[in-house]
Amino acid sequence: MNGWVFCCVVFVAAVSVCYGECRFPPSLWCSSLEIAKKCQVTGQCEEWTFPSVNDVRPVNFTLYYESLCPDCRNFFADQLNLAYTKVGGIMNLTLVPYGNAREKQVGSRWEFDCQHGKEECVGNIIETCAIYIIKNITVYYPFIHCMETTDGLPEDAAAKCATKFKGIDLDKIMGCSKSSLGNELEHQMALQTNALQPPHTYVPWVTLNGVHTEEIEHKAETDLVNLICQTYQGLKPAGCKKEDNYQLHSCPRN
């Protein structure tokens, strides 16, 4: 089946099933076998999208947040860490520390205005530099999670957390955060956040395989483990809860 035919099939299906048994945005129809069955596009998805057993891809999950946001911190503590611990092997996690900040260019540098004040901007850049310098998420995620669940100023939290984990070069991270490199890296986080479609209107803001809907957001904030497990197309790991039968149920808003 070529791309034109598949798009036609999807368009016809969208008209006929959105308010029937299928209540998913078209972008998710091939994200899992269960959704494809509901939306009557199983054959098309199997031919066009579904990978073989040996080619199953992890679920891409991106969190857009800001370092001192109470709701973002709660999300780290209540949902993200549990999901990363239990089903991190089937999830490609991306962290984007910028959130509701705003930026303007002054000369060769960027100035950031953060929702929770200057210290939040400091925290954002420290975490951005940690991601850039460490590169390995299995090392930088525990460090950032620690920062997001530690009270106090971001620099103090970074110093405390750096002592708890191996592979954290705090001097390099802090040096980056005060340099033109850190300034440019945070600008890149701003570009990534501002490119969201639909544009973000709050934080934490999440995307699942590049898609954001209110249903995805609600599920991520209430049961992220199950959301990742239901979206994953391969054999579920032990961390997935077998008893859950979560289904997304909203069509796109007009």
Side-chain angles (χ1 to χ4, degrees), residues 152-202:
L153 298 177
E155 289 193 5
D156 295 336
K160 291 178 183 178
C161 293
T163 65
K164 296 182 179 182
F165 307 101
K166 295 180 179 180
I168 308 297
D169 190 332
L170 185 62
D171 289 340
K172 277 190 177 181
I173 292 172
M174 298 308 296
C176 167
S177 73
K178 294 174 170 56
S179 70
S180 58
L181 172 61
N183 186 261
E184 176 60 27
L185 291 173
E186 188 62 14
H187 170 57
Q188 294 304 315
M189 293 296 188
L191 293 179
Q192 189 173 344
T193 303
N194 293 335
L196 280 165
Q197 291 297 329
H200 86 286
T201 54
Y202 53 80

Side-chain angles (χ1 to χ4, degrees), residues 29-47:
W29 286 354
C30 291
S31 66
S32 75
L33 183 59
E34 293 83 359
I35 293 177
K37 288 179 179 177
K38 288 274 187 188
C39 297
Q40 303 174 29
V41 292
T42 306
Q44 293 85 353
C45 289
E46 286 179 347
E47 181 177 347

Side-chain angles (χ1 to χ4, degrees), residues 5 13 19 60 63 86 133 161-162 176 178 203 245 253:
V5 174
Y19 292 98
N60 292 319
L63 171 63
K86 295 187 71 174
I133 289 172
C161 293
C176 167
K178 294 174 170 56
V203 288
N245 293 304
R253 294 179 181 177

Side-chain angles (χ1 to χ4, degrees), residues 63-177:
L63 171 63
Y64 298 83
Y65 71 103
E66 54 199 23
S67 65
L68 296 185
C69 162
D71 288 339
C72 298
R73 289 181 160 229
N74 289 337
F75 185 77
F76 266 93
D78 298 338
Q79 295 297 329
L80 187 60
N81 200 54
L82 180 64
Y84 184 81
T85 301
K86 295 187 71 174
V87 296
I90 62 170
M91 175 173 61
N92 277 334
L93 174 62
T94 301
L95 301 177
V96 184
Y98 182 78
N100 294 327
R102 297 184 183 279
E103 66 171 4
K104 65 177 180 180
Q105 190 167 15
V106 179
S108 60
R109 291 179 62 85
W110 295 91
E111 290 187 357
F112 303 103
D113 181 16
C114 296
Q115 184 174 7
H116 299 94
K118 292 182 179 179
E119 288 300 327
E120 181 166 78
C121 292
V122 171
N124 289 347
I125 297 179
I126 291 173
E127 293 179 14
T128 293
C129 283
I131 293 168
Y132 175 80
I133 289 172
I134 299 171
K135 292 183 171 57
N136 184 344
I137 192 169
T138 64
V139 179
Y140 71 69
Y141 171 77
F143 172 72
I144 291 177
H145 171 262
C146 178
M147 284 190 62
E148 288 300 312
T149 53
T150 298
D151 293 331
L153 298 177
E155 289 193 5
D156 295 336
K160 291 178 183 178
C161 293
T163 65
K164 296 182 179 182
F165 307 101
K166 295 180 179 180
I168 308 297
D169 190 332
L170 185 62
D171 289 340
K172 277 190 177 181
I173 292 172
M174 298 308 296
C176 167
S177 73

